[in-house]
């Protein structure tokens, strides 16, 4: 089963995201039904580990942090273009991300986790991130962002 560990943006940042959607309405193909969020980790795990994973997350101590906007960008993956608000990768945010992925990595269900993309198989650093955390976008490759919409 797929689980998501995430942070929610402030009301002001959420209003900014909505304004960006309205401003670019002509180019938008789809908008997620999920509330705006910054993913710390997406993990596929067996439901029987849910309470253990939750307990591991509850033990993480982190100072309160504020998500800070960096700039707008478009992420290109497969045939999808996603307009995102990139966030500052502050030491506090990077540290929290690392604590989360370290706490949950032992619960990864590799049978459910999507396989590494061919584009990353020859990159040993990306392959190592995938092997350790189930994603080529974690650890040093973490790019905190909030998805705004899929665009043309």
């Amino acid at each position: 089963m797929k689980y998501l560990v995430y942070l929610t943006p402030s009301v002001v940042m959420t209003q900014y995201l909505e304004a960006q959607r309205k401003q670019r309405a002509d180019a938008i193909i789809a908008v997620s039904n999920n509330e705006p969020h910054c993913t710390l980790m997406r993990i596929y795990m067996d439901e029987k580990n849910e309470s253990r994973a939750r307990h591991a997350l509850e033990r993480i101590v982190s100072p309160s942090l504020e998500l800070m906007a960096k700039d707008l960008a478009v992420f290109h993956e497969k045939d999808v273009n996603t307009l995102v608000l990139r966030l500052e990768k502050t030491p506090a945010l990077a540290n929290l991300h690392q604590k989360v992925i370290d706490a949950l990595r032992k619960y990864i269900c590799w049978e459910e986790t999507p396989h590494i993309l061919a584009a990353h198989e020859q990159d040993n650093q990306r392959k190592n991130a995938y092997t350790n955390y189930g994603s080529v976008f974690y650890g040093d490759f973490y790019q905190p962002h909030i998805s705004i919409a899929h665009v043309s």
Side-chain angles (χ1 to χ4, degrees):
M1 179 176 274
K2 179 178 165 181
Y3 293 85
L4 200 61
V5 180
Y6 63 90
L7 300 171
T8 54
S10 67
V11 171
V12 171
M13 189 175 284
T14 301
Q15 290 170 341
Y16 174 78
L17 297 168
E18 288 300 322
Q20 291 301 315
R21 284 184 183 143
K22 288 178 184 171
Q23 200 173 53
R24 292 165 171 74
D26 292 345
I28 291 178
I29 296 169
V31 175
S32 172
N33 290 330
N34 297 328
E35 67 180 59
H37 64 275
C38 171
T39 301
L40 293 171
M41 183 179 196
R42 179 202 69 204
I43 181 172
Y44 292 84
M45 67 178 180
D46 192 311
E47 288 179 66
K48 70 181 180 191
N49 289 322
E50 185 177 327
S51 64
R52 288 186 207 115
R54 187 179 305 119
H55 184 68
L57 291 173
E58 289 169 351
R59 288 186 301 220
I60 294 174
V61 176
S62 178
S64 64
L65 59 95
E66 182 178 340
L67 297 177
M68 298 183 330
K70 183 176 180 180
D71 58 14
L72 292 174
V74 176
F75 288 174
H76 309 279
E77 188 175 349
K78 298 178 187 168
D79 295 331
V80 179
N81 297 321
T82 305
L83 177 66
V84 300
L85 174 63
R86 293 194 310 173
L87 303 173
E88 291 290 341
K89 188 176 176 180
T90 62
L93 181 55
N95 187 40
L96 180 58
H97 163 71
Q98 192 64 49
K99 286 179 180 180
V100 168
I101 63 177
D102 284 340
L104 297 183
R105 64 191 262 183
K106 63 185 164 194
Y107 301 114
I108 296 170
C109 176
W110 291 103
E111 292 79 27
E112 292 184 37
T113 300
H115 294 288
I116 189 170
L117 296 175
H120 299 296
E121 282 188 339
Q122 301 307 312
D123 183 331
N124 287 334
Q125 290 177 317
R126 295 271 186 174
K127 200 171 180 180
N128 188 45
Y130 176 83
T131 301
N132 285 321
Y133 306 115
S135 173
V136 297
F137 300 111
Y138 293 163
D140 293 339
F141 300 105
Y142 180 58
Q143 296 181 48
H145 67 278
I146 300 172
S147 296
I148 298 172
H150 295 301
V151 295
S152 53

